[in-house]
Amino acid sequence: MNTATPEQLRELFLFEDLDDEKLGWLSACGTVADYPVDGIICAQGDAAEFLYVLLDGEMVMTQNVRGHVAQVSRTDRPGTYGGAVQAYLGDKIEQRYQHSLRATRPSTVFVLPARKFAKMVRKWFPMATHLLEGVFFGMTNARRVVDQRERLTALGTITAGLTHELNNPAAAAARASAELGDRLIGAQASLAGLAAQGVDCTHLSALVALRPVLPAAPGGRRSPLEVSDAEDELGDWLEEHGVGDAWDLAPGLVAAGIGVGQAEEVERAAGDHLPAAMRWLAEVLEVTQLQAEISEAMGRITALLDSARQYSQLDRAPYQRTDLRELLDSTLTMLKRKFGDGVTVKTVYDETLPPVPVYAAELNQVWTNLIVNSLYAMQGSGTLTIRTARENDYALVEIADTGTGIPEEDLDRIFTPFFTTKPVGQGTGLGLDISWRIVADRHGGDIRVESLPGDTRFQVLLPLTEPAEESAEESAQ
């Protein structure tokens, strides 16, 4: 290896303001290395031992994200640097290369040992060193704190929505359960009244045996006019047959599917005790309807809890093949309370899309962030469209809204940490940054955005196959 002269170093924008003494020190401490085409200058993950400064040629900076190599930059500008750029922090952080550098044509590079670089920065620029440390650790700590707050905010949104959705069926079940006790007592009393009136065991048995074959609900959907006509018809029939409270009983009986034909069957079973038998039947049918209401409410609660379990993925492996439709549907269920009456939700799912290897709970946070942003952009009125499709070797999830859109000057900054267009206190500026890190860093995917007023689309691309290292880990387990 050769050495660089002070005159060579002075020509680089990185060192152009240093005096002769400092340039001489750099020249003595560093060396010059030549790299052929595709020569590896430094490799991501290795111990960061040198700072590299391009003198001549061209080099590319890349980062490996879960098995996918992403190009960060490509340059032929002398003075461009990479490698141990955080050496000035010393042992306060783990000193490893955060990226790879590779020569794309024969290149000459100034190589400065990391310890010398760190000493230079601390000695020559003490105040700048303190400021850089403050910025580095301040941003790191701020991102961690706000990241946690962003996750808690998303959890709070989901919890509030789930609580609201659970409240309705729970209240319905509680009300029906309270009424059920009274109706059971009433039905028992009516049956006892039939026995007290002298109805023999043969007729009682016939009535009890008749109940299971009577409809518990009307067949098909009827218009209000049809229901009214049926009530009039049954009320007239009951009144003609001596049922004193005919017009009080008719609506409930019709609602349960009882018409004149069924009433005639009851008459044959009850004989001369039709009024008491009809009152007993009305009580029993109310019990049946209340049981159905409780069953429906409990089914709704079970479905909501299943959605919550699907959303949280608490009972599943953190990384596994998952149907994206299930994740999206569970997120929509959790966020239902935020939609309001003015928002229409459309889902267009590709039925042929196979399960995708993902960290499901983390992806649900991505869907939450993107959907909440869309709802904010629509301000309570518009259409939210969720679409899945296949794009080459990736699964595509598109979340589109008809909101105001993203200004063109902001499109390049929306994934920048702490950048937000929301008023102070309403946004952390980390929702999209977190989403980007989950999709890109954790899954090796990508997020694209297209926006015009009335048509904004966030497109999440996820690999259909897991990285080789994931496959190896799974096969070893």
Side-chain angles (χ1 to χ4, degrees):
M1 290 187 182
N2 301 318
T3 59
T5 65
E7 289 71 23
Q8 282 180 292
L9 297 178
R10 182 178 284 111
E11 294 177 359
L12 305 177
F13 70 87
L14 190 62
F15 305 131
E16 62 185 358
D17 291 329
L18 298 182
D19 59 31
D20 292 342
E21 182 181 355
K22 290 181 174 62
L23 289 172
W25 184 88
L26 279 174
S27 177
C29 292
T31 56
V32 173
D34 293 318
Y35 292 90
V37 176
D38 288 332
I40 302 300
I41 300 172
C42 68
Q44 181 179 342
D46 289 351
E49 298 178 346
F50 300 97
L51 177 76
Y52 300 94
V53 183
L54 183 65
L55 295 176
D56 184 54
E58 183 183 66
M59 63 182 182
V60 62
M61 178 185 292
T62 60
Q63 279 190 300
N64 189 311
V65 183
R66 288 183 53 79
H68 298 266
V69 177
Q71 180 173 308
V72 178
S73 65
R74 184 188 188 107
T75 181
D76 60 359
R77 183 186 182 190
T80 305
Y81 58 91
V85 294
Q86 295 174 343
Y88 66 90
L89 294 171
D91 57 6
K92 295 178 181 178
I93 65 169
E94 184 180 19
Q95 293 291 342
R96 294 192 175 277
Y97 294 123
Q98 301 299 307
H99 50 256
S100 297
L101 292 175
R102 176 174 56 85
T104 52
R105 65 173 189 243
S107 301
T108 303
V109 177
F110 177 66
V111 182
L112 183 66
R115 288 176 298 172
K116 297 292 187 180
F117 170 59
K119 178 181 178 181
M120 175 193 79
V121 174
R122 289 196 295 266
K123 182 177 180 181
W124 295 353
F125 315 105
M127 181 176 176
T129 303
H130 290 303
L131 289 173
L132 287 171
E133 287 183 358
V135 169
F136 178 84
F137 290 111
M139 289 288 287
T140 301
N141 292 335
R143 174 179 284 193
R144 183 176 65 252
V145 171
V146 181
D147 193 336
Q148 292 173 345
R149 178 59 57 87
E150 187 77 19
R151 293 177 188 275
L152 288 173
T153 299
L155 179 61
T157 297
I158 295 304
T159 302
L162 180 61
T163 301
H164 177 81
E165 290 296 317
L166 285 172
N167 183 63
N168 291 334
R175 177 192 57 77
S177 178
E179 291 186 23
L180 183 61
D182 294 337
R183 295 296 178 270
L184 282 172
I185 294 173
Q188 292 171 348
S190 296
L191 191 60
L194 283 169
Q197 292 178 25
V199 179
D200 57 37
C201 293
T202 301
H203 285 88
L204 284 176
S205 297
L207 280 172
V208 173
L210 179 63
R211 166 62 198 96
V213 302
L214 293 175
R221 223 177 143 78
R222 293 188 286 185
S223 69
L225 181 59
E226 290 173 326
V227 171
S228 178
D229 289 344
E231 291 176 357
D232 289 342
E233 183 182 15
L234 181 60
D236 289 338
W237 187 93
L238 293 173
E239 194 171 54
E240 291 172 2
H241 288 75
V243 180
D245 47 358
W247 298 102
D248 292 331
L249 294 176
L253 291 171
V254 169
I258 302 298
V260 171
Q262 291 77 18
E264 290 174 345
E265 293 185 41
V266 176
E267 181 187 25
R268 286 191 289 273
D272 296 333
H273 303 281
L274 178 63
M278 292 304 297
R279 282 189 287 273
W280 168 79
L281 179 61
E283 294 277 3
V284 171
L285 290 175
E286 283 196 51
V287 168
T288 302
Q289 286 180 300
L290 290 170
Q291 286 177 323
E293 287 182 24
I294 293 174
S295 178
E296 182 181 354
M298 296 309 295
R300 176 62 179 157
I301 289 173
T302 299
L304 285 168
L305 292 177
D306 285 343
S307 292
R309 189 180 302 112
Q310 176 69 29
Y311 182 87
S312 66
Q313 297 286 310
L314 291 177
D315 60 343
R316 303 195 178 193
Y319 184 79
Q320 64 175 5
R321 288 190 171 274
T322 306
D323 189 338
L324 294 180
R325 293 173 300 178
E326 294 180 1
L327 302 185
L328 292 163
D329 283 342
S330 68
T331 303
L332 289 172
T333 299
M334 295 296 98
L335 292 174
K336 183 178 178 181
R337 179 171 174 263
K338 296 183 71 69
F339 294 155
D341 296 334
V343 174
T344 300
V345 180
K346 294 182 179 179
T347 55
V348 185
Y349 295 150
D350 182 351
E351 301 295 333
T352 66
L353 192 65
V356 181
V358 297
Y359 293 92
E362 296 180 29
L363 273 186
N364 280 337
Q365 185 176 4
V366 174
W367 314 144
T368 299
N369 290 340
L370 296 180
I371 291 172
V372 168
N373 282 351
S374 290
L375 294 176
Y376 178 85
M378 291 189 289
Q379 293 294 303
S381 178
T383 300
L384 176 72
T385 303
I386 314 293
R387 181 174 71 91
T388 64
R390 179 167 185 158
E391 187 171 300
N392 300 320
D393 294 330
Y394 290 84
L396 168 69
V397 176
E398 182 180 78
I399 297 177
D401 66 71
T402 57
T404 55
I406 302 170
E408 185 176 355
E409 62 270 19
D410 291 339
L411 281 175
D412 292 337
R413 299 190 292 164
I414 58 174
F415 294 105
T416 303
F418 305 108
F419 174 77
T420 179
T421 59
K422 296 178 181 178
V424 175
Q426 293 189 25
T428 62
L430 277 186
L432 290 178
D433 172 57
I434 292 172
S435 299
W436 169 264
R437 283 185 277 139
I438 290 173
V439 173
D441 296 349
R442 292 285 280 169
H443 292 87
D446 192 16
I447 302 182
R448 303 183 306 217
V449 59
E450 302 173 0
S451 185
L452 293 171
D455 184 14
T456 295
R457 302 167 184 266
F458 279 87
Q459 297 176 330
V460 177
L461 292 166
L462 300 165
L464 288 170
T465 57
E466 60 264 40
E469 60 268 25
E470 292 287 353
S471 301
E473 289 175 6
E474 290 179 0
S475 61
Q477 291 177 352

